[in-house]
Amino acid sequence: MESSDMNDSGLRTAGSEQNLLSRPDGSATFTQGDTSVMAAVYGPADVRQNKEIIDRATVEVIYKPKSGMPGIREKSKEQLIRNTCETVILTAMHPRSSITIVTQEVQDSGALLACCINASCMALMDAGVPMKCLVAAVTCMLDSEERLVLDPTDKQAKDALCLATFAFDSTNKKVVTSTFQGSCTMQQYQSLLASCQTASQKVFDFYRTSAERRLAKS
Amino acid sequence: MKETPLSNVERDFLLAAIRSGKRIDGRDTYDYRNIKITFGLERGCCEVQLGQTRVLAQVSCEAVEPRNARPTEGQLYLNLELSPMASPGFEPGRLSEYGVELNRLLERCLKDSRAVDMESLCIVAGEKVWQIRVDVHVLNHDGSILDCGSIAAIAALSHFRRPDVTVVGETVTIHTPEDRDPVPLSVHHMPVCISFAFFEQGKYLLVDPTFKEESVMEGNMVMAMNAHRELCTVQMTGGMLLLKDQILRCSQIAVIKVAEVTELIKKALSNDAKARSEGKKCGYAESLPRRRITTSVAEPQRVDTTKSVEMAQDVIDRADEPVQDLDVKSTLLDAGFRGIGEGAANTWLIPDAENEVEEDEDEMEDADEEEEVDAMDDGTSDVAARRNQTSVSQTRVAEGYHSDSSEEAETVTLNEEVLGGYKRPPVDPSADLDLSVALKTSQIVSSTSGPPAKKKTKRKGKKNK
């Protein structure tokens, strides 16, 4: 069933649909291979008094797993997405308001966190939230023979020595977020980072083509 | 976040339209919105769109101990989640009153009508049974959540396959999907909820109300029915009375609608089964409507990672050097006390102190700066002078970020005193960088020559931004 047998050195099929939900201010689904995440953005809207920050907007992220109740794992994912998105959102533009991002797992076939971040970014774009730059996340891993695999599927990730997800900004391609599971040498870490950085360009290109497609005259 | 209330004019407009037998989305009073059923890659995953209302259902299973009262029956859990994605009024976490009502109705529709055979979910009587859990996530709330939710839940239950189990004597083996084909649940019938909205004491009736129609309605009725015309649940809410005829008319409408919907579910299930048996791609990624301008798809892309390895090597090569140079000799001062970098000035309370660390990290810039100092010592280089000017002007901007700029000036004079007689060693950029030398030189830079020191402040300002 796995559609991507060639992804040893590449990204899986990327797909997106924006503005698919009528109620939120912005929404998007982002798919990478079979992995699919839906994200919705509300904001800038009113904020609960205890969460209000007087000089900038409060960024809230809610991550919903597909089955079962959200636990610690989901909370940590929420935190990662929140910190990544808050870095790029110009929060000072909307003081004392909230920007809520809701992400819903639709299908997990590997690289779910990266997919969540990319979906959130596309939803933020759709909502027209002011951002200083875009953000794209790429996951990569080292398999049991220490070969580098970009955008791994869940099957590939099962026998990974280490699994890393990096998020980059679109202006300088600098690291915004880095998470890591497992262990590797410094050399390997740097090469994982460097190849994710190269791959992130493809995601930014995808953002651009989808924006162009939406805004084109004909 | 609070729900945006409907304005009075909008309310009046809606009601006036309903009175004249019209609806804002152009439907007739008895029309249903378009239904789209999509199955996910996983078994038991189903997304249903009813107009703009969207619901995602996922079925999962787990082997648990049965309840004492029913040792030979499996369990069915229904969990309807009003995700904050669906409407700004829905809070994450706790279930609202509305959520509880919907959850209970869905439970009555599916569980209490015995749509799924519970006894076939028994593995070992009194010891192990299957617990089937249905998570229904509301993704977008545009009215008739229950209609959409019940379709999604029953379609997901029919689509789901649980692992096969063999019991030999006392041992129970749960087979993996690779080992043995998973088995479907036995679904006896497919109950579907149909919502009706009533206006003006039941004078006007609408089938499948949208969110806006729901917010102006006086009362609503939910009828759950299956294709065999068996009523599973009827519930009426709101402050109004209905005549017997009206309820009978609703059930007549429900019969027709349920037949249509059941047909649609069966068609969607058979389409999915066909696609799976032919080995075609399925799942959401495949069901993206590709012709819309809001969607885009990019083919799998190869990424050339050969350069990345070189880049990594480059980074490491550069990063390694300062680490080696950081090998500073420490001297034992007293029992239990060690000192490092003796001979340098005290860097405590100096705001520039943190910059030194930065300099060690990237020595390129460091060397640059040292060159600059050299040039200025000569006092002949125009370039240096110009640089000098720009850096001064930049500092003014940067000072805005620091409230402690006056304190800084104080520390600088203090340094001058401390280091009064210190002679700066000649700096050779090619020479090995010793930490102590680096520390000392940077001290000198900050104390003897004003502008470069200020330039550092600017860098710090950037960092703090």
Side-chain angles (χ1 to χ4, degrees):
Chain A
M1 204 57 62
E2 207 45 78
S3 59
S4 43
D5 39 347
M6 56 78 71
N7 83 353
D8 286 72
S9 65
L11 298 173
R12 293 177 280 175
T13 316
S16 77
E17 179 174 7
Q18 281 181 309
N19 201 13
L20 71 163
L21 304 178
S22 65
R23 299 300 303 278
D25 297 318
S27 56
T29 49
F30 193 85
T31 59
Q32 282 173 247
D34 293 318
T35 307
S36 177
V37 171
M38 190 182 286
V41 172
Y42 283 98
D46 61 337
V47 62
R48 248 192 290 152
Q49 202 132 43
N50 58 351
K51 285 187 181 167
E52 186 182 273
I53 307 172
I54 51 161
D55 60 344
R56 61 197 150 94
T58 312
V59 180
E60 276 181 282
V61 171
I62 298 155
Y63 170 78
K64 288 243 159 203
K66 197 155 68 150
S67 53
M69 286 289 154
I72 299 292
R73 205 178 292 268
E74 282 72 29
K75 286 277 167 221
S76 89
K77 200 166 276 171
E78 273 177 13
Q79 200 63 30
L80 276 168
I81 303 168
R82 199 201 82 88
N83 289 345
T84 311
C85 291
E86 201 189 24
T87 317
V88 292
I89 296 172
L90 290 169
T91 47
M93 297 263 289
H94 302 284
R96 304 172 72 175
S97 56
S98 79
I99 294 167
T100 312
I101 305 167
V102 190
T103 49
Q104 168 77 51
E105 169 199 351
V106 178
Q107 174 70 47
D108 180 11
S109 303
L112 186 65
L113 178 65
C115 201
C116 282
I117 292 171
N118 296 341
S120 306
C121 182
M122 290 207 86
L124 285 167
M125 272 160 79
D126 184 42
V129 174
M131 291 189 278
K132 57 183 137 195
C133 54
L134 300 178
V135 64
V138 180
T139 300
C140 67
M141 61 165 245
L142 290 177
D143 66 6
S144 47
E145 283 144 35
E146 300 200 344
R147 276 178 313 194
L148 194 144
V149 181
L150 267 170
D151 196 12
T153 62
D154 49 349
K155 273 180 205 151
Q156 287 170 317
K158 256 179 201 162
D159 54 9
L161 289 179
C162 60
L163 188 79
T165 302
F166 299 100
F168 302 92
D169 71 71
S170 60
T171 42
N172 302 319
K173 310 288 179 304
K174 291 253 169 80
V175 180
V176 176
T177 303
S178 155
T179 60
F180 201 86
Q181 281 168 35
S183 61
C184 71
T185 63
M186 205 166 111
Q187 169 95 46
Q188 286 168 332
Y189 179 84
Q190 290 294 349
S191 68
L192 287 175
L193 179 58
S195 35
C196 279
Q197 198 177 25
T198 323
S200 73
Q201 187 54 47
K202 305 273 180 190
V203 184
F204 288 125
D205 291 346
F206 178 77
Y207 287 164
R208 175 164 277 277
T209 45
S210 62
E212 274 170 1
R213 198 174 142 86
R214 269 192 83 176
L215 302 172
K217 254 185 182 171
S218 52
Chain B
M1 246 187 300
K2 278 180 205 121
E3 187 79 59
T4 323
L6 205 65
S7 61
N8 285 339
V9 272
E10 215 167 349
R11 176 184 299 268
D12 294 344
F13 176 77
L14 273 164
L15 287 171
I18 289 161
R19 259 182 238 116
S20 56
K22 287 182 182 121
R23 295 174 82 165
I24 44 169
D25 50 4
R27 281 186 289 162
D28 269 343
T29 43
Y30 296 160
D31 279 358
Y32 231 68
R33 285 173 286 179
N34 282 339
I35 303 174
K36 190 183 167 199
I37 303 172
T38 331
F39 291 104
L41 182 76
E42 262 177 276
R43 280 285 179 183
C45 181
C46 176
E47 193 191 291
V48 176
Q49 294 175 41
L50 175 65
Q52 285 288 349
T53 302
R54 240 179 219 254
V55 162
L56 173 77
Q58 171 69 51
V59 181
S60 49
C61 69
E62 195 186 350
V64 293
E65 250 180 63
R67 287 200 196 91
N68 286 336
R70 298 189 182 278
T72 59
E73 281 189 13
Q75 292 164 15
L76 179 68
Y77 262 108
L78 279 158
N79 180 34
L80 183 89
E81 293 250 352
L82 296 178
S83 165
M85 186 186 267
S87 160
F90 296 157
E91 295 277 319
R94 70 199 131 144
L95 213 54
S96 59
E97 210 173 293
Y98 183 55
V100 173
E101 183 192 326
L102 293 183
N103 204 355
R104 180 67 198 127
L105 261 170
L106 198 63
E107 234 173 35
R108 272 164 60 187
C109 167
L110 291 166
K111 201 170 158 187
D112 299 357
S113 71
R114 302 189 167 270
V116 181
D117 185 29
M118 284 297 146
E119 290 202 347
S120 67
L121 293 176
C122 177
I123 305 169
V124 179
E127 278 178 34
K128 274 275 177 284
V129 293
W130 284 113
Q131 185 194 67
I132 308 292
R133 188 192 164 98
V134 189
D135 287 278
V136 181
H137 300 275
V138 183
L139 303 177
N140 198 38
H141 174 25
D142 193 24
S144 312
I145 289 179
L146 263 180
D147 303 30
C148 201
S150 67
I151 299 169
I154 197 69
L157 279 167
S158 319
H159 187 250
F160 184 66
R161 301 283 183 274
R162 67 168 170 84
D164 201 4
V165 180
T166 44
V167 184
V168 182
E170 296 267 293
T171 55
V172 180
T173 325
I174 298 176
H175 299 282
T176 55
E178 291 81 29
D179 195 10
R180 247 186 215 202
D181 276 344
V183 288
L185 305 174
S186 57
V187 177
H188 292 312
H189 61 105
M190 289 185 177
V192 174
C193 292
I194 307 289
S195 305
F196 302 93
F198 295 99
F199 303 84
E200 296 192 4
Q201 291 298 311
K203 198 173 162 193
Y204 301 102
L205 175 150
L206 294 183
V207 178
D208 180 24
T210 61
F211 173 70
K212 279 186 176 156
E213 286 162 348
E214 271 186 3
S215 49
V216 296
M217 72 185 172
E218 251 165 40
N220 84 325
M221 182 158 78
V222 177
M223 226 176 229
M225 199 186 266
N226 62 19
H228 315 295
R229 300 184 172 205
E230 291 166 332
L231 265 180
C232 299
T233 298
V234 181
Q235 153 149 325
M236 224 177 77
T237 46
M240 46 143 215
L241 298 164
L242 286 181
L243 297 169
K244 193 175 112 191
D245 287 352
Q246 281 172 313
I247 295 172
L248 284 175
R249 190 167 52 160
C250 285
S251 65
Q252 290 301 322
I253 298 166
V255 167
I256 301 163
K257 296 297 169 200
V258 166
E260 284 172 15
V261 172
T262 316
E263 200 57 42
L264 210 69
I265 297 173
K266 283 187 175 155
K267 208 171 129 195
L269 278 167
S270 71
N271 279 350
D272 181 74
K274 202 175 147 199
R276 272 169 204 269
S277 65
E278 284 171 7
K280 273 191 207 156
K281 285 181 193 170
C282 44
Y284 294 113
E286 301 310 312
S287 63
L288 278 181
R290 300 201 176 194
R291 292 181 64 191
R292 285 194 201 153
I293 57 158
T294 49
T295 59
S296 45
V297 175
E299 290 308 307
Q301 297 182 67
R302 279 196 175 277
V303 178
D304 189 16
T305 50
T306 44
K307 261 190 189 157
S308 318
V309 179
E310 285 166 30
M311 271 161 72
Q313 189 55 55
D314 194 38
V315 169
I316 287 165
D317 288 347
R318 271 189 290 141
D320 261 348
E321 282 163 37
V323 175
Q324 284 156 7
D325 292 337
L326 269 171
D327 187 29
V328 186
K329 277 173 242 114
S330 66
T331 48
L332 190 67
L333 298 175
D334 201 355
F337 289 94
R338 267 188 180 275
I340 41 168
E342 206 182 351
N346 182 8
T347 55
W348 284 42
L349 297 170
I350 299 172
D352 270 3
E354 61 187 74
N355 280 330
E356 263 125 53
V357 184
E358 203 180 279
E359 266 166 33
D360 289 335
E361 278 171 7
D362 90 60
E363 44 151 358
M364 290 286 283
E365 242 179 280
D366 200 316
D368 234 24
E369 231 160 80
E370 277 161 7
E371 275 171 4
E372 201 176 301
V373 176
D374 280 342
M376 278 196 311
D377 283 349
D378 298 342
T380 47
S381 170
D382 277 358
V383 187
R386 250 192 288 124
R387 270 197 201 172
N388 196 347
Q389 274 180 348
T390 49
S391 60
V392 171
S393 60
Q394 276 164 336
T395 329
R396 288 207 189 105
V397 185
E399 268 169 3
Y401 293 101
H402 294 281
S403 52
D404 59 348
S405 53
S406 59
E407 193 189 340
E408 222 165 277
E410 239 172 80
T411 5
V412 171
T413 28
L414 181 83
N415 264 340
E416 225 158 0
E417 278 166 29
V418 171
L419 290 158
Y422 186 81
K423 206 178 168 218
R424 192 168 64 85
V427 178
D428 182 9
S430 64
D432 277 6
L433 258 178
D434 186 26
L435 177 79
S436 55
V437 173
L439 279 172
K440 279 171 194 165
T441 43
S442 58
Q443 277 310 313
I444 291 297
V445 167
S446 63
S447 56
T448 51
S449 54
K454 277 186 181 170
K455 200 183 168 199
K456 276 184 201 169
T457 344
K458 190 205 108 206
R459 272 167 59 196
K460 195 181 146 199
K462 258 188 190 170
K463 207 171 154 191
N464 286 4
K465 237 195 293 182

